[in-house]
């Protein structure tokens, strides 16, 4: 397998494996954190619902303060002018059409004006101590409270009937429908001071918005948090809700999944799942407290689990998309750098094969040796120098052999002449024979020079190569400190190529030894 393929496989392994691990781990983490994400989502949505309810309560308080600070209105209270005060309350009702209670009390907390005849006027109003608290502090207060409907409205009046809640699946012993007659109401109690003496209390203005059977808050919440539902409950009975399932649309009067008592104490909310007619909803219930800090009702929000799963699946698709994009980019970068790294090594391998086949023409492209400090550049340059040296040595050997051939021919000619003149020139033949012996010795010496030259050249190549190999082995052995993964990879390549080149040089030395008769 080529180095290029090995590098590509290596890049694929170091990219694909971590990406796969990242994808699997992110999926596992998302699954384990799904419950926490649902809780955080619902907590954020619950803040939106509570903000809407508190905003309306604050709006009532500000509207009541503006009316109570009107000198004419203060004078009407001091005069106990029921007709005109009732007219002022009707004007306030036109501005804040959601008001279910608007009552003016005298200093003895007896009603002197009201917006509806259904509101009780036959008793003093204390509202669970809220009026007394306003009298003591002489400033307006707002709160969320629960009261029996009979404390606020005359029994069997229109408002009383409108606000009572039929409890689902609950009948009395006579088979009659059982009703919840408690109501949750947002209240604002504003003190009315004397028109002249600003420190003397002359009455109270009470404004209230009853939640029972009022779809405003659930609908407003669902507009803000699409696909989510809201329910308000008293004594574990839903008094206002817009929960919808494929088989049912009205859950007012039904039981909530958990009791209000569970919300009392250090745990301020309940988070869980409930099955609404084969549709699972993730819900979050939180207690609503009155001005004394006592839990008096429950606000609950929920979202179909499949709806929340769609939100999470969007994040999963995003993770998959980013993972695949990073994978493609990293593979492209890896392939590009693998080509840059392996091209000089492939060229060096081709040079070695051409040298082994007898070719001595080595031309290097400028981009291969651009970095003079690169190991591959040094290797290619060394191959080029070795090819040039071998070419020069071969030319010298050919020239010398040609001279030897010519000399040999001349000696043959002389030998023929010596044969003819053997008898006459015996002494000369001996002398010539001696000369011939000298020439042969010279030939052997010349051949030894050639072998020594090749051995010396091989030795000179081994010396710097050994230094490179030793340095690479020292680096691999962490003698000079730890290496990065990329540094170790390049040093391994240099060590492998150096050992390969050293083996080629050793083969040349072996040939020289064979020619010198030192090796069989």
């Amino acid at each position: 397998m080529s180095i290029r393929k090995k590098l590509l496989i290596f890049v694929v392994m170091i990219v694909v494996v971590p990406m796969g691990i990242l994808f699997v781990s992110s999926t596992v983490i998302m699954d384990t954190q799904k419950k926490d994400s649902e809780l955080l989502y619902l907590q954020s949505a619950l803040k939106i619902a509570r903000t809407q309810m508190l905003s309306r309560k604050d709006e009532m308080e500000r509207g009541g303060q503006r009316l109570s600070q009107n000198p004419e209105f203060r004078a009407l209270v001091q005069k106990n002018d029921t007709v005109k005060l009732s007219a002022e309350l009707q004007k306030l009702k036109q501005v804040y059409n959601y008001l279910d209670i608007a009552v003016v009390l005298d200093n003895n907390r007896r009603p002197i004006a009201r917006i509806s005849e259904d509101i009780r006027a036959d008793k003093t109003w204390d509202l669970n101590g809220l009026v007394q608290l306003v009298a003591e502090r002489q400033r307006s207060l707002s709160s969320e409270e629960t009261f029996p409907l009979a404390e606020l409205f005359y029994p069997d009046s229109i408002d009383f009937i409108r606000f009572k809640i039929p409890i689902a699946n609950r009948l009395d012993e006579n088979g009659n429908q059982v009703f919840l007659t408690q109501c949750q109401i947002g209240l604002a109690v504003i003190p009315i001071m004397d028109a002249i003496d600003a420190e003397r209390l002359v009455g109270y203005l009470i404004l209230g918005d009853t939640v029972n059977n009022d779809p405003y808050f659930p609908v407003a919440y669902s507009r803000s948090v699409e696909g989510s539902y809201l329910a308000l409950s008293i004594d574990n009975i839903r008094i206002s809700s817009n929960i919808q399932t494929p088989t049912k649309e009205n859950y007012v009067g039904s039981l909530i999944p958990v009791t209000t008592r569970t919300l009392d104490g250090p745990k301020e909310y309940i988070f869980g799942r409930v099955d609404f007619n084969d549709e699972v909803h993730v819900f979050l219930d939180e207690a609503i407290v009155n001005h004394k800090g006592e839990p008096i009702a429950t606000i609950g929000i929920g979202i179909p689990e499949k709806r929340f799963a769609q939100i999470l699946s969007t994040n999963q698709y995003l993770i998959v998309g980013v993972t695949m994009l990073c994978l493609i980019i990293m593979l492209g970068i890896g392939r590009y750098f693998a080509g840059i790294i392996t091209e000089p090594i492939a060229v060096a391998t081709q040079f070695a094969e051409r040298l082994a086949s007898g070719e001595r023409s080595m031309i290097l492209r400028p981009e291969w040796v651009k970095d003079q400090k690169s190991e591959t550049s040094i290797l290619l340059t060394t191959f080029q120098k070795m090819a040039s040296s071998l070419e020069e040595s071969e030319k010298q050997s050919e020239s010398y052999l040609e001279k030897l051939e010519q000399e040999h021919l001349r000696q043959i000619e002389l030998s023929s002449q010596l044969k003819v003149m053997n008898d006459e020139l015996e002494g000369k033949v001996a002398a010539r024979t001696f000369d011939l012996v000298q020439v042969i010795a010279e030939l052997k010496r010349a051949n030894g020079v050639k072998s020594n030259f090749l051995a010396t050249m091989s030795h000179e190549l081994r010396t710097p190569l050994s230094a490179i190999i030793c340095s690479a082995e020292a680096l691999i052995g962490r003698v000079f400190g730890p290496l990065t993964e990329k540094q170790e990879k390049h040093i391994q390549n240099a060590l492998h190529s150096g050992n390969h080149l050293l083996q080629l040089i050793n083969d040349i030395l072996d040939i020289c030894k064979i020619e010198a008769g030192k090796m069989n």
Side-chain angles (χ1 to χ4, degrees):
M1 185 182 293
S2 66
I3 296 177
R4 181 184 180 87
K5 289 184 179 178
K6 289 180 180 179
L7 278 175
L8 285 175
I9 292 174
F10 176 72
V11 169
V12 169
M13 292 299 294
I14 64 174
V15 172
V16 173
V17 173
M19 286 293 182
I21 294 173
L22 176 63
F23 174 73
V24 173
S25 61
S26 63
T27 302
V28 172
I29 291 172
M30 283 197 66
D31 289 339
T32 57
Q33 291 183 340
K34 180 181 178 182
K35 186 174 181 180
D36 293 338
S37 300
E38 292 173 341
L39 176 59
L40 290 174
Y41 181 85
L42 292 178
Q43 284 177 331
S44 299
L46 185 60
K47 291 180 181 178
I48 295 174
R50 289 298 292 148
T51 299
Q52 292 172 342
M53 296 182 69
L54 296 175
S55 295
R56 173 169 283 194
K57 186 178 64 173
D58 293 340
E59 184 181 60
M60 282 193 306
E61 185 177 359
R62 289 193 301 269
Q65 287 174 343
R66 284 193 294 270
L67 180 61
S68 66
Q69 291 170 2
N70 187 327
E72 295 180 0
F73 182 79
R74 291 180 176 182
L76 293 175
V77 173
Q78 288 180 281
K79 295 176 183 178
N80 288 343
D81 193 332
T82 301
V83 176
K84 291 184 178 180
L85 284 174
S86 298
E88 291 294 327
L89 294 179
Q90 291 297 332
K91 292 179 183 178
L92 188 64
K93 168 73 172 176
Q94 292 175 359
V95 178
Y96 304 108
N97 57 4
Y98 52 80
L99 289 177
D100 298 312
I101 290 178
V103 180
V104 177
L105 306 180
D106 60 17
N107 199 23
N108 296 318
R109 304 176 192 173
R110 300 284 298 186
I112 56 176
R114 50 202 170 129
I115 60 170
S116 170
E117 295 297 324
D118 292 347
I119 299 174
R120 298 200 68 143
D122 58 347
K123 68 180 190 68
T124 60
W125 287 54
D126 184 55
L127 299 178
N128 197 21
L130 193 59
V131 177
Q132 177 62 33
L133 194 60
V134 170
E136 293 173 356
R137 298 181 181 180
Q138 293 194 357
R139 62 181 179 87
S140 61
L141 291 176
S142 61
S143 176
E144 291 172 297
E145 305 285 342
T146 56
F147 300 104
L149 285 171
E151 287 189 11
L152 304 176
F153 306 98
Y154 289 111
D156 298 326
S157 64
I158 295 175
D159 283 342
F160 185 94
I161 295 172
R162 179 160 63 99
F163 294 133
K164 69 179 182 179
I165 305 293
I167 302 175
N169 303 320
R170 187 176 296 181
L171 303 176
D172 62 15
E173 56 186 12
N174 298 322
N176 298 320
Q177 175 68 56
V178 176
F179 291 90
L180 174 70
T181 56
Q182 289 281 110
C183 73
Q184 178 186 342
I185 185 169
L187 282 175
V189 181
I190 301 97
I192 304 173
M193 312 308 291
D194 190 290
I196 299 175
D197 185 359
E199 295 184 358
R200 188 169 74 88
L201 185 65
V202 295
Y204 307 88
L205 174 62
I206 299 175
L207 304 178
D209 174 25
T210 303
V211 176
N212 291 34
N213 284 322
D214 186 354
Y216 172 78
F217 290 121
V219 172
Y221 164 77
S222 294
R223 281 199 298 264
S224 301
V225 185
E226 187 177 353
S228 183
Y229 305 116
L230 181 142
L232 296 163
S233 59
I234 301 174
D235 294 338
N236 309 322
I237 305 296
R238 293 185 179 93
I239 60 173
S240 177
S241 171
N242 67 337
I243 298 174
Q244 294 182 5
T245 62
T247 58
K248 189 175 180 180
E249 294 186 356
N250 183 15
Y251 283 85
V252 174
S254 60
L255 290 172
I256 62 175
V258 294
T259 63
T260 307
R261 290 191 302 274
T262 310
L263 301 176
D264 194 7
K267 191 168 184 180
E268 299 176 351
Y269 64 86
I270 290 295
F271 169 68
R273 286 169 171 75
V274 62
D275 189 346
F276 283 103
N277 296 326
D278 297 328
E279 183 178 68
V280 177
H281 286 210
V282 182
F283 72 90
L284 180 68
D285 285 354
E286 185 178 75
I288 298 176
V289 298
N290 60 12
H291 70 283
K292 297 179 181 179
E294 301 168 342
I296 47 92
T298 303
I299 178 172
I301 60 170
I303 184 171
E305 191 173 41
K306 63 181 181 180
R307 170 75 179 174
F308 194 82
Q310 292 174 357
I311 298 173
L312 290 180
S313 64
T314 301
N315 295 334
Q316 290 179 330
Y317 292 148
L318 180 61
I319 291 174
V320 173
V322 171
T323 302
M324 295 303 297
L325 179 62
C326 292
L327 178 61
I328 293 171
I329 293 174
M330 291 299 295
L331 288 177
I333 293 173
R335 184 172 182 178
Y336 172 73
F337 281 103
I340 292 177
I341 294 171
T342 59
E343 185 179 11
I345 298 174
V347 171
T349 304
Q350 294 174 3
F351 277 10
E353 292 174 352
R354 288 161 60 186
L355 279 174
S357 64
E359 187 177 348
R360 301 292 181 261
S361 177
M362 304 293 175
I363 301 175
L364 299 178
R365 287 161 56 181
E367 59 268 22
W368 293 344
V369 292
K370 180 171 61 176
D371 185 2
Q372 295 298 324
K373 295 182 180 180
S374 172
E375 291 83 357
T376 53
S377 298
I378 295 173
L379 180 62
L380 291 174
T381 304
T382 304
F383 265 117
Q384 188 181 44
K385 290 180 180 179
M386 185 174 68
S388 300
S389 299
L390 288 174
E391 185 178 13
E392 185 64 26
S393 298
E394 288 175 352
K395 287 181 179 179
Q396 291 177 1
S397 298
E398 288 175 1
S399 177
Y400 190 70
L401 289 173
E402 185 178 352
K403 290 179 182 179
L404 288 177
E405 183 66 27
Q406 291 175 359
E407 183 65 23
H408 180 63
L409 293 174
R410 190 172 68 83
Q411 293 298 327
I412 292 174
E413 184 181 354
L414 288 174
S415 296
S416 299
Q417 291 176 3
L418 286 172
K419 251 183 190 183
V420 175
M421 301 172 63
N422 184 42
D423 294 336
E424 299 176 359
L425 302 173
E426 186 175 359
K428 291 183 179 180
V429 170
R432 291 294 183 184
T433 301
F434 177 77
D435 292 337
L436 184 58
V437 170
Q438 294 294 324
V439 170
I440 291 172
E442 182 66 23
L443 289 173
K444 290 182 178 179
R445 188 187 68 79
N447 192 48
V449 169
K450 182 199 73 169
S451 297
N452 289 336
F453 173 78
L454 290 176
T456 302
M457 280 298 299
S458 300
H459 178 72
E460 290 300 323
L461 289 173
R462 289 179 64 188
T463 301
L465 188 59
S466 297
I468 293 173
I469 293 173
C470 291
S471 299
E473 289 176 342
L475 290 172
I476 288 297
R478 307 313 197 270
V479 174
F480 301 108
L483 299 175
T484 64
E485 185 178 355
K486 187 174 182 181
Q487 289 172 339
E488 183 177 358
K489 177 183 71 175
H490 288 302
I491 292 171
Q492 286 282 8
N493 291 338
L495 182 59
H496 174 74
S497 300
N499 286 326
H500 181 64
L501 180 58
L502 181 61
Q503 183 60 45
L504 294 177
I505 294 171
N506 288 335
D507 291 343
I508 295 173
L509 286 175
D510 291 340
I511 292 172
C512 294
K513 289 179 182 179
I514 292 170
E515 290 179 351
K518 297 180 181 180
M519 180 184 290
N520 294 326

